[in-house]
Amino acid sequence: MRLGLICSAVIVSAGLLHAQGSSKSISVASEPGEIHLRNIRQLTDGGENAEAYFSHDGRRLIFQSTRDGRTCDQQFVMDTDGSHVRRVSNGSGKTTCGYFMNGDRRIFFASSQALEKDCPPRPDASKGYVWRLDPFDIYTARADGSQPRRLTRFGVYTAEGVLSPDGRKIVFTSLKDGDLDIYVMNVDGTSVRQLTHQLGYDGGPWWSPDGKRIVYRAYHPQTEADIAAYKDLLAQRLVRPNKMDLWIMDADGSDQRQITHLGAASFGPSWTPDGRRIIFSSNHHTDPKLGNFDLFLVNPDGSGLEQITTAPTFDGFPMFSPDGRKIVWASNRHDAKPHETNIFIADWVN
């Protein structure tokens, strides 16, 4: 879904990479039926870019990108018009899942740099579509990437972090206790507490705007064959994400309940700023082999499913701006080469 980026000339400064000049966003026409999207603009231009998330003031985005001759993702920050792109991770290992914190003065993200200085190998293609569970831990740094500090020291997949609305806690997914479960901790890495315990993949947690609920994606194998297959892949630090639905729980881990029953790959949930609906990506409406994911809205009780994007390709990782006026997401639409993934932003029309 997301594959390499062509980068402009760069200069090295204080250990970070800063793009020379300012890039400009590209206006892109919406697809038929995309009535909620207006003034779509493409912010990156080619390659592999994903998981762009707004700063709390709505002026910047942190995202992951493969560029500068590397074969895996590093963390970058840019303005919401696509300008002033700069790397904020140190270039070592692989990174994912960046987020702003501390009044946008700091960021956090997951990185494998402690155990892997180089990019990890891609999964064996003979195993089909699987995700590699890289040995990420969560790091924090100043917003420019300086003063990095390691928050967790589990040495296994620990990623998918999101800051609570009050700025006090981080919810994340980890393999630290032998299964893929959701945890919460203080922003300084203390008081780690496990929220999910059911066998299977519980991940992609996202706080509701009032901080009282968490939406997440989950796959809980039920049959003996499915359980064995899941455990076998997990032992190889792999997971197959082709059947995931959305769940909701209270912020303390209580009242866990499944809200979609689509039987497909549904992931990347987040909330509308008013907390009344959830936006996510899914391929339940098409042939999974086509890689056609679209964005959907759903009510927290699972009712009112509504399709948002209609491009015949990948659309995922949606997030609304803090004021609810814009939405950012990653898409294969308007790609110069097949399977390129770029970051797009649009005005949101209710």
Side-chain angles (χ1 to χ4, degrees):
M1 298 175 191
R2 309 171 314 197
L3 305 168
L5 174 71
I6 300 171
C7 188
S8 60
V10 295
I11 58 175
V12 178
S13 174
L16 305 179
L17 292 179
H18 299 265
Q20 290 183 335
S22 299
S23 60
K24 294 182 179 180
S25 61
I26 303 168
S27 180
V28 177
S30 61
E31 297 288 332
E34 294 183 335
I35 60 174
H36 289 287
L37 306 178
R38 183 173 59 202
N39 190 26
I40 299 175
R41 284 160 289 148
Q42 182 178 330
L43 301 183
T44 60
D45 188 14
E48 183 175 346
N49 308 270
E51 297 201 51
Y53 301 130
F54 281 99
S55 59
H56 296 88
D57 64 9
R59 296 178 180 180
R60 290 175 291 170
L61 297 164
I62 186 169
F63 67 106
Q64 62 194 49
S65 178
T66 299
R67 58 175 73 193
D68 306 333
R70 293 182 58 83
T71 58
C72 62
D73 290 328
Q74 289 290 307
Q75 292 296 306
F76 290 79
V77 169
M78 64 179 166
D79 294 347
T80 53
D81 63 358
S83 65
H84 299 105
V85 179
R86 55 216 181 268
R87 175 158 61 82
V88 291
S89 54
N90 70 0
S92 182
K94 180 181 179 181
T95 73
T96 189
C97 306
Y99 214 82
F100 285 92
M101 65 184 297
N102 193 22
D104 296 333
R105 292 183 292 272
R106 295 187 68 84
I107 56 173
F108 67 86
F109 55 89
S111 174
S112 66
Q113 66 186 64
L115 297 178
E116 295 180 336
K117 300 302 180 184
D118 298 322
C119 290
R122 293 184 180 273
D124 183 353
S126 68
K127 299 182 183 297
Y129 182 55
V130 292
W131 291 347
R132 186 175 187 267
L133 301 172
D134 299 299
F136 293 121
D137 268 301
I138 296 177
Y139 291 75
T140 181
R142 294 181 64 177
D144 63 1
S146 63
Q147 298 183 7
R149 183 167 63 89
R150 189 175 176 183
L151 283 184
T152 64
R153 296 180 178 271
F154 305 139
V156 294
Y157 184 86
T158 301
E160 306 175 21
V162 173
L163 186 71
S164 62
D166 63 9
R168 297 179 178 179
K169 296 183 182 297
I170 297 172
V171 67
F172 62 96
T173 300
S174 181
L175 192 57
K176 65 182 290 293
D177 293 307
D179 195 17
L180 288 163
D181 282 302
I182 295 173
Y183 297 78
V184 66
M185 66 180 176
N186 296 333
V187 292
D188 62 0
T190 62
S191 300
V192 177
R193 187 163 58 89
Q194 186 173 347
L195 298 183
T196 62
H197 297 82
Q198 191 169 344
L199 178 69
Y201 184 8
D202 296 296
W206 202 286
W207 303 89
S208 61
D210 61 7
K212 295 181 178 180
R213 293 174 293 176
I214 295 170
V215 64
Y216 60 103
R217 63 186 179 219
Y219 166 63
H220 301 145
Q222 300 298 315
T223 68
E224 290 186 6
D226 287 344
I227 291 171
Y230 173 77
K231 289 184 174 180
D232 178 63
L233 284 175
L234 201 62
Q236 303 172 62
R237 295 297 187 257
L238 299 170
V239 66
R240 194 181 310 280
N242 59 348
K243 290 184 180 179
M244 292 187 290
D245 271 294
L246 300 192
W247 287 59
I248 281 183
M249 62 180 163
D250 291 347
D252 63 359
S254 63
D255 195 20
Q256 296 177 10
R257 57 199 186 279
Q258 185 175 347
I259 64 168
T260 67
H261 297 79
L262 302 176
S266 299
F267 73 102
S270 63
W271 299 74
T272 56
D274 60 10
R276 295 180 178 179
R277 306 195 79 185
I278 294 162
I279 192 164
F280 67 102
S281 182
S282 180
N283 66 350
H284 73 277
H285 61 308
T286 186
D287 183 348
K289 296 179 181 179
L290 298 177
N292 181 13
F293 285 78
D294 278 302
L295 303 184
F296 292 83
L297 279 173
V298 69
N299 295 326
D301 63 0
S303 65
L305 186 67
E306 179 185 4
Q307 186 169 344
I308 302 303
T309 61
T310 61
T313 183
F314 173 79
D315 289 285
F317 306 110
M319 182 186 182
F320 287 97
S321 61
D323 62 9
R325 295 181 179 182
K326 297 186 183 299
I327 184 172
V328 67
W329 78 103
S331 179
N332 291 153
R333 67 178 66 201
H334 201 249
D335 51 355
K337 297 180 181 179
H339 309 299
E340 286 184 343
T341 305
N342 284 294
I343 305 300
F344 293 79
I345 192 169
D347 298 333
W348 180 254
V349 181
N350 275 317

